[in-house]
Amino acid sequence: VSLSGAVALDTLQGLWSGEETMEGQKMALGFLFLYELFTGGKKVKVLKENNSHTFAEMAFLLMADRDQPSFLASFASVLVHNEPLRRLLPRYKDCRKYTGNQLVRGAPDDEEPVSPLARLFERTMPVLHSYIGQYTEERAEYPRLPRPSGECAVRREGPREWMIP
C-alpha cells in the first residue's frame, strides 16, 4: 500500500488540522500508520522519490497528542529521532481474523484472541532494548571539574578620575 503524488499531499493537508491522534481517531492514520511508514510497510512517493520517512516525521509533528505522556507517542518519538533503529524493527503484520475494521485493538478480546498491536510490541521491545543498551553500556567517564569554593577574591575599588563635560 502506498500514497503518491496528490493523494499524499491531500493526506498531509488532512493531518494539518492537528486533530489526528496516535489512535487514529480522525483519519485512521495513527501510530500504526507512522510505524509502517518508518519501517517500510507503507510508502509515500512525491514525484519519483520515496518520501516515507519525511512524511512520517511531518505527520508525527501534526499529531494532536504527540506531546502527551503515552506509550504510543513516546515510541513514535523514538522512531522520529533514531533513524538507524527504523531499519532494525520488524514490519507490522495484521494477523486479525477480520481485517476490514480499521480499529486495531491493543489487547486480545473474544473476537480477536491475538492482538496484532500487542504482538508487534512483543517483537519490537527486544530490538529496542538491545539498540538502547549499546549506547548505555559504552558510557565513558569524563573528568569532573572541582566544586567551586564558597569564596572568591574581590578587589577593592580604587580612586576614580571623573571627567565632567
Side-chain angles (χ1 to χ4, degrees):
V1 177
S2 65
L3 299 172
S4 61
V7 174
L9 296 176
D10 288 344
T11 303
L12 192 60
Q13 179 67 32
L15 292 168
W16 201 265
S17 70
E19 297 175 12
E20 184 60 285
T21 64
M22 290 292 155
E23 288 84 20
Q25 293 175 345
K26 173 98 172 154
M27 299 174 60
L29 299 174
F31 172 80
L32 281 177
F33 177 71
L34 296 177
Y35 184 87
E36 288 188 290
L37 288 173
F38 281 130
T39 58
K42 291 189 185 297
K43 295 197 184 320
V44 174
K45 289 186 176 188
V46 178
L47 299 177
K48 294 183 180 181
E49 290 187 38
N50 182 355
N51 304 104
S52 301
H53 296 154
T54 304
F55 190 92
E57 289 174 9
M58 287 191 296
F60 172 74
L61 292 174
L62 294 171
M63 294 284 177
D65 56 349
R66 73 180 179 281
D67 293 328
Q68 297 299 315
S70 73
F71 179 76
L72 296 179
S74 178
F75 197 95
S77 179
V78 167
L79 293 176
V80 167
H81 294 99
N82 293 282
E83 188 173 344
L85 175 63
R86 301 173 194 169
R87 292 187 287 270
L88 302 174
L89 291 173
R91 297 240 174 125
Y92 168 72
K93 182 178 179 187
D94 193 353
C95 58
R96 297 177 296 163
K97 291 179 189 175
Y98 309 106
T99 57
N101 186 1
Q102 290 183 341
L103 176 67
V104 177
R105 297 183 190 274
D109 59 13
D110 292 338
E111 290 182 21
E112 296 293 338
V114 177
S115 164
L117 192 57
R119 180 176 283 170
L120 174 68
F121 290 134
E122 286 173 358
R123 293 173 51 214
T124 58
M125 285 302 116
V127 176
L128 187 61
H129 284 284
S130 66
Y131 180 80
I132 292 173
Q134 72 183 354
Y135 293 105
T136 56
E137 292 172 7
E138 296 175 10
R139 190 178 298 169
E141 285 294 323
Y142 297 101
R144 296 181 183 245
L145 294 173
R147 290 185 57 100
S149 66
E151 300 175 3
C152 65
V154 178
R155 293 195 306 167
R156 280 192 182 256
E157 189 175 317
R160 296 185 186 189
E161 294 181 23
W162 297 93
M163 288 181 52
I164 300 177

